[in-house]
Amino acid sequence: MRNFSYYLRLSLHNIKRAPLPYALTLVILSIGLGVFFSNATLYYWMNRDPLPEQSHMLFFPRINAVEQACDSCLTPLRVLSYKDVQKLSNSAIPSAQAGMFQSGGYARLPNTQNGPTPVSIRVTQRDFFELFNAPFLHGQTWADNDARMELILHYNAALKFFGRTDVLGQQLLLDGELYTIVGVLDNWQMLPKLYDVNNGLAITPVEEIYLPWETAYNLGIKSNSTTQSRDSRNYNENFAVNGREGEFYQAQFWVKLDTPAQQDAYRQFMDNLVASEKEAGRHPRPNGNLLHNMLDIAEAFNERNRQLDAFAVVSVLFLLVCLFNASHLSLNRYMASQFEFSLRRALGASRLQLQGQLLTDVLVNGVLAFVLALLFAVLMLLLINQLLPATSALNNWQPGLILLMFGVALLASYLVTLYPAWRASYSPLNQQLKA
């Protein structure tokens, strides 16, 4: 500890002796790390497993069920119709399953003069909350999948409308319809939001209000994300019937298959379903059954954010350039102090002791570079949010991520100091003294 205290005082003294070269080296290193940290943060959130405990059990089934004949149409649509969801639900193999889609509306408290507030809505079924580990703070999910004028609020929505979370039994007006609140979710988020990756929704916050599936069809609520109609019906009229019977595609459907045996059995169920539909003349297109695991869904739907991937590659290259330049400046600074190293070695200091001093320099450089890099990273994230507004939900540093970034800062500082330190402490002693 005494040696470390001495090395630390000596490092600070060296900084004061040549502040400008040191500051220039530190700024270059910090800029490189800041750019890398900002892009690494976005890349981490976009590519992490949001449900590591059960993501391997969650699957999105797709069937090529469009009723217009097309022999060359081998790939199913990315969204399902009401009829598709009903057919895929007719299996006892999954331990949980839910149809769903995103929508939007305007909500306000009844008997108030306040104007309506725009809200995000997830139309879904009761197993949604089990599938994606959405925890309840108050209440519980619906008793079944029947239509009911009941909704579930997210924690943030409860605070927004009521200023508190214990609001079971309270009522809320949503697009002119009065609903009773039967559940309030905890402060839950899922990033990336892989249960709905269409149109970049994977990097948006989870929805504020959750409505029963059958209720939405009764009231004519449609998706505000991805919809397709493949027949001549007018879906702006009598949606309760047309939406259920027609070729209106807007839904996702997820199943939980706990074991590989269940996964194989469900694939066989899908094949049998298509075969029976073909026998009835309702499945004219080629069999294109697909069963996507949750972690593969963004790639399967071509919804991976290629811009963030490009930013990640550029940030790594930029960091390497900054490391090279900072190392060159550090070399000049250490070589200017080479006589001091020689004198200390002549007075009996071992190379190990010199390396201890250099490692202390690395620690000091790493801490200072880390702090400055975080400031640069915040500025970079703000800039990226301006260029890509959808990434604003990804600006979150967890303790583990911060520790990892600190480790990267120490490693970068070590790499910047490694070659200059070797040159300063391992060159021949007699040549250093003669110089």
Side-chain angles (χ1 to χ4, degrees):
M1 181 60 68
R2 184 185 303 173
N3 286 342
F4 175 74
S5 177
Y6 169 72
Y7 293 150
L8 184 59
R9 291 197 303 272
L10 191 58
S11 293
L12 297 176
H13 173 73
N14 291 336
I15 294 174
K16 294 178 182 178
R17 188 172 59 183
L20 187 59
Y22 184 85
L24 186 58
T25 304
L26 188 63
V27 167
I28 291 175
L29 179 59
S30 299
I31 291 175
L33 286 171
V35 172
F36 176 76
F37 287 168
S38 60
N39 285 281
T41 300
L42 300 179
Y43 190 84
Y44 166 77
W45 284 111
M46 280 302 298
N47 292 277
R48 68 190 285 267
D49 182 352
L51 293 172
E53 65 278 6
Q54 67 178 38
S55 60
H56 62 286
M57 297 183 286
L58 301 181
F59 292 86
F60 187 113
R62 296 164 68 190
I63 54 176
N64 202 11
V66 178
E67 294 186 7
Q68 288 80 31
C70 176
D71 292 338
S72 62
C73 300
L74 304 178
T75 303
L77 299 180
R78 304 197 313 185
V79 283
L80 304 172
S81 68
Y82 179 92
K83 293 185 295 183
D84 294 338
V85 172
Q86 294 301 102
K87 293 170 186 175
L88 290 169
S89 299
N90 290 329
S91 171
I93 299 170
S95 58
Q97 56 189 359
M100 65 194 74
F101 60 86
Q102 176 175 288
S103 188
Y106 289 85
R108 68 178 180 88
L109 295 178
N111 304 319
T112 65
Q113 300 301 318
N114 296 331
T117 301
V119 291
S120 58
I121 301 171
R122 173 67 39 180
V123 172
T124 189
Q125 296 174 312
R126 70 183 310 275
D127 283 349
F128 171 89
F129 309 98
E130 177 185 348
L131 284 168
F132 303 107
N133 282 356
F136 279 84
L137 184 62
H138 303 288
Q140 58 188 357
T141 187
W142 308 290
D144 51 48
N145 288 324
D146 293 341
R148 60 190 71 235
M149 299 304 289
E150 298 174 348
L151 58 77
I152 293 168
L153 284 183
H154 188 271
Y155 176 93
N156 294 334
L159 291 180
K160 180 166 70 173
F161 287 106
F162 297 94
R164 55 192 175 89
T165 60
D166 188 6
V167 294
L168 298 184
Q170 299 294 315
Q171 293 184 314
L172 191 69
L173 271 172
L174 179 63
D175 291 335
E177 301 289 343
L178 192 63
Y179 295 85
T180 300
I181 299 167
V182 297
V184 177
L185 297 181
D186 207 343
N187 192 11
W188 166 70
Q189 290 294 332
M190 179 177 171
L191 285 173
K193 195 173 69 178
L194 294 181
Y195 60 75
D196 191 352
V197 299
N198 288 318
N199 298 327
L201 293 177
I203 57 177
T204 60
V206 298
E207 291 76 16
E208 298 172 284
I209 293 178
Y210 298 82
L211 287 185
W213 168 268
E214 297 294 343
T215 303
Y217 275 87
N218 287 346
L219 297 176
I221 297 174
K222 303 182 186 70
S223 171
N224 63 357
S225 171
T226 300
T227 61
Q228 296 185 40
S229 59
R230 295 300 183 98
D231 57 19
S232 59
R233 291 176 184 253
N234 183 358
Y235 289 100
N236 292 320
E237 297 180 0
N238 197 14
F239 189 75
V241 174
N242 290 330
R244 288 182 168 100
E245 296 180 356
E247 296 254 328
F248 190 79
Y249 298 86
Q250 65 174 351
Q252 300 89 36
F253 182 69
W254 287 90
V255 296
K256 183 180 179 184
L257 304 170
D258 302 316
T259 65
Q262 283 183 309
Q263 296 161 23
D264 292 338
Y266 196 80
R267 289 187 179 93
Q268 186 61 53
F269 160 76
M270 293 172 65
D271 291 338
N272 295 340
L273 171 63
V274 170
S276 65
E277 289 291 298
K278 284 185 175 295
E279 289 178 3
R282 292 190 295 264
H283 201 298
R285 295 194 174 189
N287 186 338
N289 294 346
L290 295 171
L291 190 63
H292 300 296
N293 180 256
M294 189 179 77
L295 297 182
D296 302 325
I297 196 70
E299 197 71 43
F301 283 5
N302 196 28
E303 288 289 344
R304 185 181 176 89
N305 195 316
R306 304 299 177 185
Q307 290 174 304
L308 291 182
D309 290 347
F311 279 146
V313 173
V314 170
S315 67
V316 171
L317 296 177
F318 183 71
L319 176 59
L320 293 176
V321 171
C322 290
L323 288 176
F324 177 80
N325 287 310
S327 181
H328 183 71
L329 290 171
S330 184
L331 175 62
N332 292 336
R333 187 165 61 89
Y334 275 105
M335 293 306 291
S337 304
Q338 192 174 43
F339 181 78
E340 178 183 335
F341 278 94
S342 304
L343 185 60
R344 291 177 62 193
R345 287 181 59 192
L347 293 175
S350 66
R351 283 181 173 146
L352 183 61
Q353 290 173 319
L354 294 180
Q355 288 300 307
Q357 172 63 53
L358 296 171
L359 289 176
T360 305
D361 288 348
V362 168
L363 179 61
V364 172
N365 295 346
V367 171
L368 294 177
F370 174 68
V371 173
L372 281 178
L374 289 182
L375 295 177
F376 283 121
V378 170
L379 295 176
M380 279 297 301
L381 286 172
L382 293 175
L383 176 61
I384 292 174
N385 293 161
Q386 292 296 319
L387 298 175
L388 301 172
T391 61
S392 58
L394 308 180
N395 298 348
N396 184 16
W397 286 332
Q398 294 181 332
L401 188 58
I402 292 177
L403 287 175
L404 180 61
M405 290 191 292
F406 181 64
V408 171
L410 288 179
L411 177 62
S413 179
Y414 179 75
L415 293 176
V416 165
T417 309
L418 180 62
Y419 178 68
W422 180 82
R423 284 284 304 274
S425 61
Y426 279 86
S427 55
L429 180 60
N430 58 345
Q431 292 183 12
Q432 293 179 8
L433 293 174
K434 286 180 181 179

mmCIF file of all heavy atoms in Angstrom, residues 28 31 35 43 58 78 110 133 141 231 285 307 341 383 396 403:
data_model
loop_
_atom_site.group_PDB
_atom_site.id
_atom_site.type_symbol
_atom_site.label_atom_id
_atom_site.label_comp_id
_atom_site.label_asym_id
_atom_site.label_seq_id
_atom_site.Cartn_x
_atom_site.Cartn_y
_atom_site.Cartn_z
ATOM 1 N N ILE A 28 -7.965 12.418 -26.615
ATOM 2 C CA ILE A 28 -8.068 11.533 -27.783
ATOM 3 C C ILE A 28 -8.584 10.156 -27.375
ATOM 4 O O ILE A 28 -9.479 9.584 -28.011
ATOM 5 C CB ILE A 28 -6.696 11.423 -28.482
ATOM 6 C CG1 ILE A 28 -6.337 12.754 -29.146
ATOM 7 C CG2 ILE A 28 -6.693 10.300 -29.514
ATOM 8 C CD1 ILE A 28 -4.961 12.777 -29.748
ATOM 9 N N ILE A 31 -12.363 10.399 -26.339
ATOM 10 C CA ILE A 31 -13.277 10.539 -27.466
ATOM 11 C C ILE A 31 -13.506 9.178 -28.123
ATOM 12 O O ILE A 31 -14.643 8.795 -28.431
ATOM 13 C CB ILE A 31 -12.742 11.559 -28.484
ATOM 14 C CG1 ILE A 31 -12.799 12.975 -27.888
ATOM 15 C CG2 ILE A 31 -13.536 11.501 -29.788
ATOM 16 C CD1 ILE A 31 -12.190 14.036 -28.770
ATOM 17 N N VAL A 35 -17.243 7.368 -28.108
ATOM 18 C CA VAL A 35 -17.955 6.932 -29.308
ATOM 19 C C VAL A 35 -18.236 5.436 -29.230
ATOM 20 O O VAL A 35 -19.336 4.969 -29.567
ATOM 21 C CB VAL A 35 -17.138 7.280 -30.566
ATOM 22 C CG1 VAL A 35 -17.762 6.652 -31.817
ATOM 23 C CG2 VAL A 35 -17.030 8.788 -30.736
ATOM 24 N N TYR A 43 -25.953 -1.249 -29.206
ATOM 25 C CA TYR A 43 -25.781 -2.597 -29.737
ATOM 26 C C TYR A 43 -26.131 -3.643 -28.673
ATOM 27 O O TYR A 43 -26.759 -4.663 -28.982
ATOM 28 C CB TYR A 43 -24.344 -2.787 -30.214
ATOM 29 C CG TYR A 43 -24.121 -4.054 -31.000
ATOM 30 C CD1 TYR A 43 -24.387 -4.100 -32.362
ATOM 31 C CD2 TYR A 43 -23.648 -5.207 -30.387
ATOM 32 C CE1 TYR A 43 -24.196 -5.258 -33.098
ATOM 33 C CE2 TYR A 43 -23.456 -6.372 -31.109
ATOM 34 C CZ TYR A 43 -23.726 -6.394 -32.464
ATOM 35 O OH TYR A 43 -23.546 -7.542 -33.174
ATOM 36 N N LEU A 58 -39.933 -19.924 -26.496
ATOM 37 C CA LEU A 58 -40.959 -19.083 -27.109
ATOM 38 C C LEU A 58 -40.823 -19.104 -28.632
ATOM 39 O O LEU A 58 -39.737 -18.846 -29.167
ATOM 40 C CB LEU A 58 -40.851 -17.656 -26.579
ATOM 41 C CG LEU A 58 -41.010 -17.495 -25.065
ATOM 42 C CD1 LEU A 58 -40.911 -16.033 -24.676
ATOM 43 C CD2 LEU A 58 -42.319 -18.098 -24.584
ATOM 44 N N ARG A 78 -45.990 -12.062 -42.542
ATOM 45 C CA ARG A 78 -45.437 -11.821 -41.210
ATOM 46 C C ARG A 78 -46.521 -11.581 -40.166
ATOM 47 O O ARG A 78 -46.219 -11.503 -38.974
ATOM 48 C CB ARG A 78 -44.488 -10.617 -41.251
ATOM 49 C CG ARG A 78 -43.389 -10.779 -42.268
ATOM 50 C CD ARG A 78 -42.238 -9.835 -42.067
ATOM 51 N NE ARG A 78 -42.638 -8.458 -41.830
ATOM 52 C CZ ARG A 78 -41.763 -7.455 -41.730
ATOM 53 N NH1 ARG A 78 -40.473 -7.706 -41.839
ATOM 54 N NH2 ARG A 78 -42.169 -6.228 -41.526
ATOM 55 N N PRO A 110 -63.074 9.165 -16.471
ATOM 56 C CA PRO A 110 -64.478 9.585 -16.613
ATOM 57 C C PRO A 110 -64.809 10.711 -15.627
ATOM 58 O O PRO A 110 -64.153 10.866 -14.594
ATOM 59 C CB PRO A 110 -65.261 8.319 -16.288
ATOM 60 C CG PRO A 110 -64.348 7.514 -15.430
ATOM 61 C CD PRO A 110 -62.950 7.827 -15.903
ATOM 62 N N ASN A 133 -43.186 -12.963 -19.117
ATOM 63 C CA ASN A 133 -42.798 -12.667 -17.729
ATOM 64 C C ASN A 133 -43.136 -11.238 -17.323
ATOM 65 O O ASN A 133 -42.311 -10.538 -16.714
ATOM 66 C CB ASN A 133 -41.293 -12.931 -17.520
ATOM 67 C CG ASN A 133 -40.996 -14.406 -17.378
ATOM 68 O OD1 ASN A 133 -41.894 -15.230 -17.358
ATOM 69 N ND2 ASN A 133 -39.716 -14.746 -17.301
ATOM 70 N N THR A 141 -54.327 -11.318 -14.444
ATOM 71 C CA THR A 141 -54.808 -11.335 -15.812
ATOM 72 C C THR A 141 -56.283 -11.755 -15.864
ATOM 73 O O THR A 141 -56.870 -12.130 -14.846
ATOM 74 C CB THR A 141 -53.954 -12.276 -16.680
ATOM 75 O OG1 THR A 141 -54.355 -12.144 -18.052
ATOM 76 C CG2 THR A 141 -54.111 -13.718 -16.246
ATOM 77 N N ASP A 231 -58.887 -9.577 -49.515
ATOM 78 C CA ASP A 231 -60.166 -9.849 -50.164
ATOM 79 C C ASP A 231 -60.892 -8.524 -50.362
ATOM 80 O O ASP A 231 -60.336 -7.444 -50.122
ATOM 81 C CB ASP A 231 -60.995 -10.848 -49.354
ATOM 82 C CG ASP A 231 -61.253 -10.389 -47.929
ATOM 83 O OD1 ASP A 231 -61.125 -9.175 -47.666
ATOM 84 O OD2 ASP A 231 -61.580 -11.221 -47.069
ATOM 85 N N ARG A 285 -52.132 -22.301 -51.348
ATOM 86 C CA ARG A 285 -50.702 -22.013 -51.533
ATOM 87 C C ARG A 285 -49.843 -23.171 -51.029
ATOM 88 O O ARG A 285 -50.295 -23.994 -50.233
ATOM 89 C CB ARG A 285 -50.326 -20.717 -50.814
ATOM 90 C CG ARG A 285 -51.015 -19.492 -51.410
ATOM 91 C CD ARG A 285 -50.402 -18.212 -50.930
ATOM 92 N NE ARG A 285 -50.997 -17.073 -51.630
ATOM 93 C CZ ARG A 285 -50.553 -15.821 -51.559
ATOM 94 N NH1 ARG A 285 -49.511 -15.543 -50.793
ATOM 95 N NH2 ARG A 285 -51.136 -14.864 -52.230
ATOM 96 N N GLN A 307 -28.483 -0.036 -39.400
ATOM 97 C CA GLN A 307 -27.788 1.222 -39.106
ATOM 98 C C GLN A 307 -26.979 1.110 -37.818
ATOM 99 O O GLN A 307 -25.837 1.576 -37.752
ATOM 100 C CB GLN A 307 -28.803 2.358 -39.003
ATOM 101 C CG GLN A 307 -29.453 2.746 -40.326
ATOM 102 C CD GLN A 307 -30.539 3.776 -40.134
ATOM 103 O OE1 GLN A 307 -31.490 3.570 -39.377
ATOM 104 N NE2 GLN A 307 -30.416 4.891 -40.814
ATOM 105 N N PHE A 341 13.823 7.573 -15.829
ATOM 106 C CA PHE A 341 13.783 6.114 -15.673
ATOM 107 C C PHE A 341 15.189 5.557 -15.490
ATOM 108 O O PHE A 341 15.434 4.688 -14.656
ATOM 109 C CB PHE A 341 13.119 5.482 -16.903
ATOM 110 C CG PHE A 341 11.624 5.496 -16.864
ATOM 111 C CD1 PHE A 341 10.923 6.531 -17.466
ATOM 112 C CD2 PHE A 341 10.911 4.490 -16.245
ATOM 113 C CE1 PHE A 341 9.554 6.559 -17.444
ATOM 114 C CE2 PHE A 341 9.537 4.513 -16.218
ATOM 115 C CZ PHE A 341 8.844 5.555 -16.818
ATOM 116 N N LEU A 383 -26.940 12.707 -29.750
ATOM 117 C CA LEU A 383 -26.852 12.932 -31.193
ATOM 118 C C LEU A 383 -27.508 11.791 -31.960
ATOM 119 O O LEU A 383 -28.264 12.021 -32.922
ATOM 120 C CB LEU A 383 -25.377 13.080 -31.599
ATOM 121 C CG LEU A 383 -25.104 13.235 -33.102
ATOM 122 C CD1 LEU A 383 -25.790 14.486 -33.640
ATOM 123 C CD2 LEU A 383 -23.607 13.284 -33.374
ATOM 124 N N ASN A 396 -29.783 3.423 -21.510
ATOM 125 C CA ASN A 396 -29.853 2.926 -20.141
ATOM 126 C C ASN A 396 -28.582 2.145 -19.841
ATOM 127 O O ASN A 396 -28.255 1.199 -20.553
ATOM 128 C CB ASN A 396 -31.088 2.038 -19.973
ATOM 129 C CG ASN A 396 -31.258 1.575 -18.541
ATOM 130 O OD1 ASN A 396 -30.654 2.116 -17.618
ATOM 131 N ND2 ASN A 396 -32.074 0.554 -18.349
ATOM 132 N N LEU A 403 -19.653 -1.484 -15.374
ATOM 133 C CA LEU A 403 -18.418 -2.180 -14.984
ATOM 134 C C LEU A 403 -17.664 -2.700 -16.201
ATOM 135 O O LEU A 403 -16.426 -2.628 -16.251
ATOM 136 C CB LEU A 403 -18.756 -3.344 -14.041
ATOM 137 C CG LEU A 403 -19.173 -2.969 -12.618
ATOM 138 C CD1 LEU A 403 -19.583 -4.218 -11.846
ATOM 139 C CD2 LEU A 403 -18.036 -2.252 -11.903
#
